[in-house]
């Protein structure tokens, strides 16, 4: 892989299960290091960066969402200083609104003070994912990585979240991993991986015009949506 992601751009990564999508983004915050080659952020080898400083710049929502046995507010504000203050609660609510989880939280009897069970047991899959997105957004990261973070929400909720994120991501670098064409079609560039290699790259329109993996994926999902609408 030889890949440059411009600062402030939105890049999507798609590919079959096991193609290396998650492994690729895990290299950025040094959740793992490459066996060979170099990963650079702002031209600096990440191995020369202090891990805590590097990760402070990154908001990451992994495939497997982990929530703590604490209040929803505490889960969103995890790792953010002074989030218990009034300004902190305002930031928590704003992040929840952007992540599309605010109305769900406000519907709970205890609102933001609702205790989340171990590993988010009391929340649905979609609610857990949106809470994790809010946790990433409250950090106001320079780099936002969403690793299939919208897979458990319906397409209507997905559209609402993506619409909200357009205002948040201005000036930030965003990396999206998804199996849904609807999630990635608005990206500045779409990278298609297969067996750890970049096999296609371009905009949604460019890739659809080619007879490749992405074009077949788009065609199949369009057909599925049409059948669901019947």
């Amino acid at each position: 892989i030889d890949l440059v992601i411009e600062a402030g751009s939105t890049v999507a990564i798609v590919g079959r299960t096991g193609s290396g999508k998650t492994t690729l983004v895990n290299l950025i915050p040094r959740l793992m290091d490459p066996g060979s080659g170099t990963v650079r952020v702002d031209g600096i080898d990440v191995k020369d960066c202090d891990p805590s400083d590097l990760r402070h710049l990154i908001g990451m929502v992994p495939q497997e969402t982990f929530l703590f046995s604490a209040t929803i507010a505490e889960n969103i504000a995890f790792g953010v200083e002074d989030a218990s203050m009034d300004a902190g609660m305002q930031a928590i609510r704003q992040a929840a609104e952007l992540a599309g989880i605010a109305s769900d939280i406000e519907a709970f009897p205890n609102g933001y003070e609702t205790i989340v069970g171990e590993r988010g047991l009391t929340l649905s899959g979609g609610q857990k994912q949106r809470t994790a997105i809010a946790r990433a957004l409250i950090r106001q990261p320079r780099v936002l990585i969403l690793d299939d973070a919208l897979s458990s929400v319906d397409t209507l909720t997905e559209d609402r979240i993506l619409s909200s994120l357009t205002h948040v991501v201005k000036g930030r670098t965003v990396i999206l991993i998804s199996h849904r064409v609807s999630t990635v079609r608005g990206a500045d560039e779409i990278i298609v991986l297969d067996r750890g290699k970049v096999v296609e790259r371009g905009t949604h329109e460019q890739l659809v015009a080619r007879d490749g993996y992405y074009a077949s994926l788009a065609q199949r999902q369009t057909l599925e949506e049409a059948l669901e609408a019947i």
Side-chain angles (χ1 to χ4, degrees), residues 13-99:
I13 303 173
V14 300
R16 297 178 177 84
T17 300
S19 60
K21 303 182 298 295
T22 296
T23 299
L24 179 59
V25 295
N26 280 347
L27 299 174
I28 301 171
R30 288 196 69 190
L31 298 182
M32 60 192 306
D33 287 326
S36 61
T38 306
V39 178
R40 295 186 175 90
V41 175
D42 286 344
I44 302 171
D45 189 335
V46 293
K47 291 182 180 179
D48 295 330
C49 300
D50 181 276
S52 60
D53 290 342
L54 176 65
R55 291 166 188 167
H56 184 72
L57 304 174
I58 299 169
M60 188 170 185
V61 183
Q63 287 176 306
E64 295 296 326
T65 301
F66 186 91
L67 298 181
F68 301 94
S69 184
T71 67
I72 293 177
E74 289 171 330
N75 268 285
I76 293 175
F78 180 75
V80 178
E81 296 179 3
D82 299 327
S84 60
M85 309 295 287
D86 290 341
M89 278 306 301
Q90 183 177 352
I92 290 171
R93 291 190 177 93
Q94 183 179 24
E97 189 70 39
L98 292 170

Side-chain angles (χ1 to χ4, degrees), residues 181-226:
V181 170
S182 58
T183 304
V184 305
R185 64 184 305 149
D188 297 313
E189 185 176 29
I190 299 169
I191 307 296
V192 181
L193 291 185
D194 187 29
R195 299 181 182 180
K197 297 180 180 180
V198 176
V199 293
E200 295 179 62
R201 61 192 303 173
T203 64
H204 170 78
E205 290 75 16
Q206 290 170 341
L207 294 178
V208 166
R210 300 172 190 167
D211 189 21
Y213 171 80
Y214 185 85
S216 64
L217 178 67
Q219 185 178 34
R220 184 171 68 251
Q221 291 187 8
T222 299
L223 179 60
E224 289 172 352
E225 290 171 7

